[in-house]
Amino acid sequence: MTDPITVTTQAELDAAIAAGARVIDIRSEPGSYITVRACDSTTVTACGSTTVRAYGSTTVMACDSATVMACDSTTVTAYDSATVMACDSTTVTAYDSATVTACDSATVTARPRVAVHCHSRRASIVGGVIIDHTQEPTDPDAWCAYHGIEVADGVATVYKAVGDNWISPHGTSYAPGTLPEAADWRDDNDCGGGLHFSPSPAEATAYHREATRWLAVGVSVADLRPILGDTPKCKAPRVATPCRPVTIDGDPIEVQS
């Protein structure tokens, strides 16, 4: 078997793939993230406290406490205490104490004691301990409690994934310290017509795959409307407290303007 090439940063991973490496071991620092895209027959192993975002037809082996957010047709094998968020047509095989969140049309095969959180009726799950999330509450308070969202003085902390310029895919700026407001607000539980947010930065990334920055924002619970669908999100007409930069794990950070 080919000896693995160990990488710790995005630049090292990109260089290894460009050099034709076929077995790559990712061991990034906690709190950082690495993006893996379709790279022919390359097999990537995510170990330690690595956080990986995988797209295309990538094959990922997740070990230890690694976290993998997999989209497109990614194939993931998860061991130990690895955590996998599977979107699109991802295929996951899970063992040991791994945890899987199944969204969209994901296919999951799990050993008997693996926890599988099902967020889509289109997901195919065999084995594991299935936790059904397909009937999410539409009441704002119940939705926040269900997702473990912090609420203080009637304001819920939710998250947005953006690019380097703090702008969302739909063109709204979420620059630190600002209070964005929707010009197209529609008071319902459907996608569109408002500013959209997720319960965590990782879940927000499912809606912006090129995201490089994340923000925590405060939204009035009275304004918040859960959006019904396969991946949890909500919307609101405006932001109630200034946008605050965070890591993909939700930890506050300081950034230069």
Side-chain angles (χ1 to χ4, degrees):
M1 180 179 175
T2 304
D3 291 334
I5 294 177
T6 300
V7 301
T8 60
T9 65
Q10 184 72 56
E12 290 177 357
L13 174 64
D14 293 343
I17 292 174
R22 286 290 171 260
V23 181
I24 301 173
D25 185 2
I26 299 176
R27 295 178 180 270
S28 64
E29 291 296 320
S32 63
Y33 67 91
I34 288 183
T35 299
V36 182
R37 301 192 182 278
C39 41
D40 300 326
S41 57
T42 300
T43 297
V44 176
T45 302
C47 299
S49 299
T50 298
T51 298
V52 173
R53 298 184 296 178
Y55 306 104
S57 301
T58 307
T59 298
V60 179
M61 308 281 287
C63 307
D64 302 332
S65 300
T67 298
V68 177
M69 196 194 87
C71 298
D72 300 329
S73 299
T74 301
T75 299
V76 180
T77 301
Y79 300 90
D80 302 328
S81 299
T83 299
V84 179
M85 180 177 176
C87 302
D88 299 331
S89 299
T90 298
T91 299
V92 179
T93 303
Y95 305 86
D96 302 331
S97 300
T99 300
V100 180
T101 297
C103 303
D104 303 323
S105 299
T107 298
V108 179
T109 302
R111 288 290 173 87
R113 296 187 180 181
V114 171
V116 181
H117 295 262
C118 179
H119 287 272
S120 171
R121 294 185 180 87
R122 294 182 288 128
S124 175
I125 303 171
V126 176
V129 178
I130 300 174
I131 303 166
D132 189 353
H133 297 269
T134 57
Q135 296 290 339
E136 287 197 45
T138 56
D139 174 78
D141 288 294
W143 189 85
C144 290
Y146 176 74
H147 287 287
I149 291 172
E150 178 184 347
V151 177
D153 298 324
V155 175
T157 298
V158 288
Y159 298 89
K160 190 73 181 180
V162 295
D164 284 340
N165 55 4
W166 306 106
I167 294 177
S168 75
H170 295 288
T172 300
S173 174
Y174 291 85
T178 61
L179 295 165
E181 186 165 349
D184 62 345
W185 172 245
R186 188 181 66 240
D187 192 353
D188 56 28
N189 295 104
D190 297 324
C191 192
L195 305 178
H196 292 58
F197 305 101
S198 298
S200 71
E203 287 165 312
T205 308
Y207 296 101
H208 187 3
R209 298 180 185 178
E210 305 298 327
T212 54
R213 287 175 163 174
W214 297 266
L215 296 132
V217 305
V219 171
S220 171
V221 174
D223 289 340
L224 185 151
R225 298 293 179 266
I227 296 175
L228 305 180
D230 291 340
T231 306
K233 62 179 175 177
C234 65
K235 67 180 183 179
R238 64 188 62 83
V239 169
T241 61
C243 299
R244 310 182 305 278
V246 297
T247 68
I248 195 171
D249 296 316
D251 298 321
I253 57 174
E254 295 290 335
V255 297
Q256 295 181 344
S257 58

